[in-house]
Amino acid sequence: MRPIESLSDLFESVQCKATYFDLGRHIQKLTPQEVIQFDRKQAAYPYPFRQHASLAIVLQPSFDESPQTNMSIWFIRLPIDEKGSINLGTRDHFIKSIVDKILHNNSTTDLSNALTDNPYAFQPDTERMANFHAVLAKRMQQEPSHYFTQLIDYLSGKISRTDNNWESIGLQGIADLAVRANEDNYRDYIKKALKLAPIELASALAKSLEHQQLDEDYLHFIVTEFQESTNIDFKASLIRAASRSAGHQKLSQILQLSLISAEKKATDGQLQLVVALVAKCPHWLAKDPELLHHCMENLAQRDDGFHAFSKVATELTHTPEVKDPLWHLFKNKGVSIRLAQGVANLFRKTSNNRLQ
């Protein structure tokens, strides 16, 4: 048997075709070129999230006439090093654990059970799992769940924010609708749900839309709903819905104005908006220094002992695309005294952690 030096080698050795999806910030398929580059450390991992690569790997037998029937899905999470690449030591340890389990010792373990008790395996939460299954099913041209039909039937009738007869609609149906956002047949259903459905359903749909690249028509609609809504949870979900889309500048400007008008002290509600922005839209902050400045200034002004400021700053320093703009802001001598104090507190905590 030839040496197994990468994930690709591993799957070739068990005669499987592997398709990779990133499950970190958004659910998105990795191209074969991206897989080769990060697997062999020729390039940084393209979608790091909280210092990890969170992967769904769909394995289909290479010589099976019905690969969809016999496919397995692995969910693994591998750490990212300081340069943004997969930690090769960890990856090699993962590979060795699989080789020992299914290729050596005459093991009869099949691929579907190969990750049992593996330290790098993880289980996506219910929301992420529903959206991944929707993305994968559509990619494989499979029919949506029965919850999808139930949701369409519900949205075809008269609905309102105060409805209580929607609760039997499963999260899978919402995810199945979101993945069809760019099909004209379902555009009106999605807009109707966001505008009129109970907030819980509308928010769940908005969150599912974060995995889609929405067009200008949707973005214009989302901006209008964001301005008209007074529900902070829903507004945060709308930020997530727009997170993968181009042309988000109008929403970015509205957020900036919201923070400016808050006497430079983020309320708990505005903190939710900032958290959604940081978690799902760091590229907005990377391209908009003013928005980044307003976010960090408002967090620093909160009366919470720099707790929110430190958490957000730590998250952003581990997000490659916004790390440099953040440090440029922190080194700016023109920032407020309070923001400078927040930065000093952050450095002090980091130094203390290193000494412990």
Side-chain angles (χ1 to χ4, degrees):
M1 184 176 71
R2 76 175 193 179
I4 298 176
E5 300 176 342
S6 67
L7 293 172
S8 300
D9 290 344
L10 173 63
F11 298 132
E12 285 180 14
S13 70
V14 293
Q15 298 182 315
C16 275
K17 174 188 174 184
T19 305
Y20 295 71
F21 292 84
D22 179 78
L23 299 189
R25 206 175 303 280
H26 302 101
I27 296 171
Q28 47 199 328
K29 181 181 176 296
L30 277 69
T31 67
Q33 185 67 21
E34 287 173 332
V35 172
I36 291 171
Q37 289 179 334
F38 85 73
D39 195 16
R40 301 188 184 280
K41 208 171 183 178
Q42 297 170 355
Y45 183 72
Y47 309 113
F49 184 57
R50 293 176 179 163
Q51 298 175 270
H52 283 82
S54 298
L55 294 164
I57 307 176
V58 180
L59 301 173
Q60 298 169 283
S62 300
F63 304 106
D64 198 311
E65 294 182 357
S66 55
Q68 290 188 23
T69 304
N70 298 316
M71 75 177 183
S72 300
I73 302 175
W74 286 7
F75 298 104
I76 63 172
R77 182 173 283 145
L78 300 173
I80 299 292
D81 65 23
E82 292 181 355
K83 295 182 179 179
S85 299
I86 295 285
N87 184 298
L88 292 188
T90 302
R91 185 209 61 186
D92 291 346
H93 182 253
F94 168 74
I95 290 174
K96 183 178 184 302
S97 69
I98 297 300
V99 169
D100 289 344
K101 194 162 193 175
I102 65 176
L103 295 179
H104 292 167
N105 303 322
N106 296 317
S107 173
T108 58
T109 302
D110 63 24
L111 289 174
S112 61
N113 296 318
L115 291 185
T116 302
D117 299 325
N118 192 291
Y120 305 108
F122 78 102
Q123 181 65 31
D125 60 39
T126 303
E127 177 186 310
R128 188 57 49 109
M129 187 68 87
N131 283 291
F132 172 66
H133 278 307
V135 169
L136 185 61
K138 188 170 186 293
R139 178 175 176 79
M140 294 185 165
Q141 298 181 329
Q142 296 176 351
E143 291 295 317
S145 67
H146 70 277
Y147 292 112
F148 173 73
T149 303
Q150 189 178 353
L151 176 59
I152 294 301
D153 288 344
Y154 169 75
L155 294 175
S156 297
K158 186 177 180 180
I159 64 174
S160 75
R161 291 286 196 221
T162 58
D163 283 348
N164 58 12
N165 58 340
W166 62 274
E167 295 176 352
S168 62
I169 298 172
L171 186 59
Q172 190 61 61
I174 296 172
D176 289 337
L177 177 58
V179 83
R180 291 165 173 77
N182 292 310
E183 296 181 23
D184 289 340
N185 290 347
Y186 301 108
R187 184 176 296 262
D188 288 343
Y189 288 115
I190 289 173
K191 288 183 177 181
K192 183 177 181 180
L194 292 175
K195 189 171 188 66
L196 299 175
I199 285 295
E200 296 87 348
L201 192 159
S203 294
L205 177 58
K207 290 174 184 177
S208 289
L209 288 170
E210 72 182 38
H211 308 295
Q212 309 304 314
Q213 292 181 314
L214 304 180
D215 59 26
E216 288 286 345
D217 175 63
Y218 272 124
L219 285 174
H220 178 75
F221 179 83
I222 286 171
V223 167
T224 300
E225 292 305 306
F226 185 90
Q227 289 176 303
E228 293 179 355
S229 178
T230 58
N231 186 290
I232 289 294
D233 288 336
F234 184 50
K235 289 168 83 80
S237 299
L238 289 173
I239 291 173
R240 292 176 58 167
S243 59
R244 284 197 67 196
S245 304
H248 60 265
Q249 289 81 1
K250 180 64 175 176
L251 187 54
S252 179
Q253 290 169 4
I254 293 168
L255 282 169
Q256 204 172 128
L257 289 172
S258 168
L259 293 170
I260 291 172
S261 63
E263 297 181 357
K264 294 188 176 181
K265 181 186 292 186
T267 63
D268 289 346
Q270 286 166 326
L271 176 60
Q272 281 188 256
L273 303 184
V274 172
V275 168
L277 192 61
V278 169
K280 300 298 178 179
C281 318
H283 54 295
W284 296 13
L285 298 172
K287 296 176 181 178
D288 191 339
E290 286 299 313
L291 180 60
L292 177 61
H293 186 182
H294 288 309
C295 285
M296 301 313 297
E297 183 69 61
N298 277 260
L299 293 175
Q301 296 291 344
R302 283 173 56 86
D303 299 321
D304 62 358
F306 298 113
H307 177 72
F309 176 88
S310 296
K311 289 196 71 171
V312 168
T314 300
E315 171 87 8
L316 291 177
T317 56
H318 291 112
T319 305
E321 59 196 316
V322 75
K323 180 178 179 180
D324 288 343
L326 182 71
W327 285 116
H328 180 76
L329 170 64
F330 285 174
K331 293 175 183 177
N332 187 340
K333 295 181 179 180
V335 300
S336 71
I337 294 175
R338 184 69 177 173
L339 180 53
Q341 290 173 339
V343 175
N345 179 73
L346 182 66
F347 279 112
R348 186 162 54 249
K349 288 177 65 176
T350 302
S351 297
N352 290 339
N353 289 338
R354 287 175 179 171
L355 291 172
Q356 291 174 357

